Amino acid sequence: MKIKKAIFPVGGLGTRFLPATKSMPKEMLPIVDKPLIQYAVEEAANAGIEQFIFVTSRGKSSIENHFDHSYELENNLLLKGKKDTLKTAQEMLKIPGSFAYVRQQEPAGLGHAVWCARHLIGEEPVAVILADDLIKGSNTIKEMIDNYKSGNMLAIMDVEKKDVSSYGIITPGKFLENNITEILGLIEKPSIENAPSNMAVVGRYIIEPAIFKELEKQNRGASNEIQLTDAIANRIGETDCSGYKFKEERFDCGSKLGFIQANIKLSLESTEMNKELKTWLKKEFFDGRF
Ligand code: G1P
């Protein structure tokens, strides 16, 4: 099934990254030299998404600027003949009108953010991508779209039991095909005792339009927020719900540790830095071995 739209909820306050995120969106934090949100948009574009819908909030205008021209910069690079750098600066300019922005006026949860985009979505399934879940390879949402048939599909991964309370956790059902598992139940941020498994939801979803009607009820769940997990859980039994177990490595870039790990991993993979960084790491931390 062709999915043309993706929602990027970017309205969060980023409190885990203060003071860095006091006046700067956490989605603009760079992994090597690219902001998190650009990785998310590139993953969506790679999956054939044509309309990019951002749910923003106050103080997030640098995200809009990032996906627009910067005439002063571009002109300067042009005059200096820096063609490659100019190309990098223009990389994220899509077809005019393919980016849309809607404001979430209060931080009332992920479900509330997604619901804020309702008027921009018709009677069609839509992708939802959380930029702070960085998944290597830029292919996960494409694989999900390729395997999607109906209902709701969520990216899933195994997490350590001690971490279940940071995630939406699924009750797995039958294993279907191509890394897809039926989902029988979903619970947002359960205690270790109440967690039905250690299989967690990661920030890639394909949701059906009926989810907006669920979110319309404005029911509050975990952390007194309107949870996307709860809306999807309410649809189980009415429609299909499945989990896609992606293969690539995922970094929780909403946490300092995950953010640093992503930076180290991707820096070590960058041809520009690989050699010198490895030499430095060896010398500094590993007694010459690495
Ligand atoms: C959100 C979702 C949660 C999911 C997680 C993945 O939580 O509500 O179900 O497991 O993203 O990163 P958040 O991290 O925004 O608290």
Side-chain angles (χ1 to χ4, degrees), residues 87-117:
K87 200 168 153 251
T88 308
Q90 291 175 332
E91 225 163 45
M92 274 292 101
L93 297 170
K94 296 272 169 209
I95 303 161
S98 55
F99 283 77
Y101 299 89
V102 58
R103 285 257 185 142
Q104 183 187 20
Q105 291 154 330
E106 48 167 335
L110 178 60
H112 181 258
V114 169
W115 178 72
C116 286

Side-chain angles (χ1 to χ4, degrees), residues 152 182-185 232-241:
N152 297 295
E182 183 187 18
I183 294 179
L184 301 176
I232 297 172
N234 284 346
R235 292 285 300 155
I236 294 175
E238 306 286 331
T239 187
D240 296 333
C241 189

Side-chain angles (χ1 to χ4, degrees), residues 68-86:
D68 201 347
H69 279 290
S70 169
Y71 283 115
E72 197 180 8
L73 171 71
E74 288 170 45
N75 192 39
N76 188 286
L77 295 172
L78 192 68
L79 289 176
K80 287 185 178 150
K82 295 191 170 174
K83 282 195 192 140
D84 289 346
T85 318
L86 179 63

